[in-house]
Amino acid sequence: MTEKPEHLPEYLARLADENAARFITDGLLSGKDNVPAIALHQAAEPLPESPRTRLRAIRDLIDDAMYTYQDDRPTQVDAWLAPRLHAILRLTRAEAADPALWNYLALGVAPDFVVWRHLSESKKTVNARYFKGPYHKQAFARLWWSAELFRNGPDYEPVVIACGNQDMLNTVLRLDVIDHRPTAQALVRLLKRDVVRTGRDANALGKAVNTAGATLMYDVIAPDTERDAGAVQRWIDEGEAGLSVHHRPLPVGPAEEPAPEESVERLTDHFAELFADAPVRGKEESEETSEEG
């Protein structure tokens, strides 16, 4: 199985897509080969040195995640790791939109994690997009962005709930409407209330919400408060000061105001109605079986 890199530089770096592609081999994707660390670091572009981009804290978190969930299904690690990765790797959205940063994290810092988490049991290989891919697919970008989009101000609990359902990550995360905070919180609330239970449910709900969003302006019927850029910057500055994040308690995010409760509840009720009429694959067969029993 692909091993942890023997050499870990002190700070995070960038690895451009064209350079990253050179290291994504069939041997790596099958978990049989390691990434040639020296060659990779020579191809990487160093970032300005900063306490918030120190690799040791990030790698320690990843090691802890793999140890904690070593006896469980790897998918279960997402809900634990997403908020903690976000709290340790304090980035602006502009910084987090740089795929070269995530390429480096996956190939230069934790290729063993990517293989452990995403190796398909049936295909015996890893989809290359988990190493180098869009933000909603790449192994670490998907976790960071899920925490950014599903947190409710400083509260990461909605992130834990959202990441506990793989279709919230695989389908809902890529939808444009998820950037509207009351929409994101309403979706999580339906999970929390067991209105939406399965991956198929989440997938159907996401499609229904996105389709309705083409004709309904959610930010009009359920307005959000203006985002506090200062709160996010202060949170990032704490990272610059070298503030440590403990792994066991759920961390605290930027001290922004939560999404307005009235807006969240209004959309929760609206989405519950949409979901009631949404086609869910396998739902009719399940209901028929239940009635027959």
Side-chain angles (χ1 to χ4, degrees), residues 5-291:
E6 292 183 1
H7 173 66
L8 190 70
E10 189 170 358
Y11 297 99
L12 193 58
R14 300 178 70 254
L15 186 66
D17 280 347
E18 59 270 23
N19 289 326
R22 294 164 38 201
F23 299 99
I24 304 175
T25 63
D26 290 341
L28 174 64
L29 296 179
S30 63
K32 297 176 181 177
D33 292 347
N34 297 325
V35 176
I38 295 177
L40 183 140
H41 295 309
Q42 289 175 341
E45 174 191 344
L47 290 172
E49 296 182 358
S50 164
R52 69 188 173 102
T53 58
R54 278 204 175 102
L55 289 178
R56 177 49 54 196
I58 299 171
R59 183 66 227 200
D60 285 348
L61 175 67
I62 293 168
D63 286 339
D64 197 2
M66 294 176 70
Y67 176 79
T68 301
Y69 290 89
Q70 62 182 325
D71 297 325
D72 299 307
R73 290 182 62 85
T75 53
Q76 293 185 268
V77 78
D78 293 347
W80 187 90
L81 184 55
R84 291 164 176 82
L85 178 67
H86 187 270
I88 285 179
L89 189 54
R90 301 193 176 192
L91 304 171
T92 65
R93 286 194 173 189
E95 290 172 329
D98 180 9
L101 184 149
W102 304 113
N103 293 342
Y104 182 82
L105 191 56
L107 288 162
V109 179
D112 53 323
F113 171 86
V114 180
V115 171
W116 171 80
R117 167 61 185 84
H118 294 289
L119 184 70
S120 169
E121 293 182 3
S122 59
K123 298 179 180 179
K124 305 301 181 184
T125 188
V126 176
N127 187 323
R129 292 199 297 169
Y130 287 117
F131 282 102
K132 180 182 74 70
Y135 76 94
H136 55 79
K137 189 72 174 181
Q138 203 274 351
F140 293 107
R142 69 196 286 270
L143 297 178
W144 193 95
W145 279 103
S146 67
E148 173 65 12
L149 294 171
F150 285 114
R151 67 179 173 84
N152 194 15
D155 183 12
Y156 282 121
E157 185 61 34
V159 180
V160 176
I161 296 171
C163 291
N165 185 303
Q166 285 300 301
D167 273 275
M168 290 292 281
L169 291 174
N170 296 335
T171 301
V172 176
L173 185 60
R174 71 182 69 184
L175 304 179
D176 290 340
V177 293
I178 206 64
D179 195 32
H180 180 241
R181 295 198 306 162
T183 293
Q185 294 309 310
L187 293 173
V188 170
R189 199 156 290 185
L190 290 177
L191 282 172
K192 188 174 182 179
R193 294 176 181 175
D194 280 339
V195 175
V196 173
R197 299 181 180 181
T198 67
R200 289 180 178 181
D201 287 350
N203 187 36
L205 174 64
K207 290 178 179 178
V209 168
N210 197 55
T211 300
T215 55
L216 290 174
M217 297 180 63
Y218 294 144
D219 56 347
V220 172
I221 65 174
D224 193 3
T225 55
E226 185 174 346
R227 302 297 295 270
D228 184 359
V232 175
Q233 188 57 54
R234 288 190 293 273
W235 177 76
I236 290 174
D237 290 343
E238 290 177 354
E240 292 282 6
L243 180 70
S244 60
V245 175
H246 298 290
H247 297 178
R248 288 296 168 264
L250 194 63
V252 177
E256 294 181 296
E257 287 293 322
E261 180 62 22
E262 182 179 353
S263 293
V264 175
E265 275 300 312
R266 182 177 295 122
L267 286 185
T268 301
D269 292 340
H270 178 60
F271 293 165
E273 294 176 2
L274 290 178
F275 178 66
D277 296 328
V280 179
R281 188 162 57 92
K283 181 179 180 181
E284 292 182 1
E285 292 85 342
S286 177
E287 291 176 349
E288 290 174 0
T289 302
S290 177
E291 290 175 0

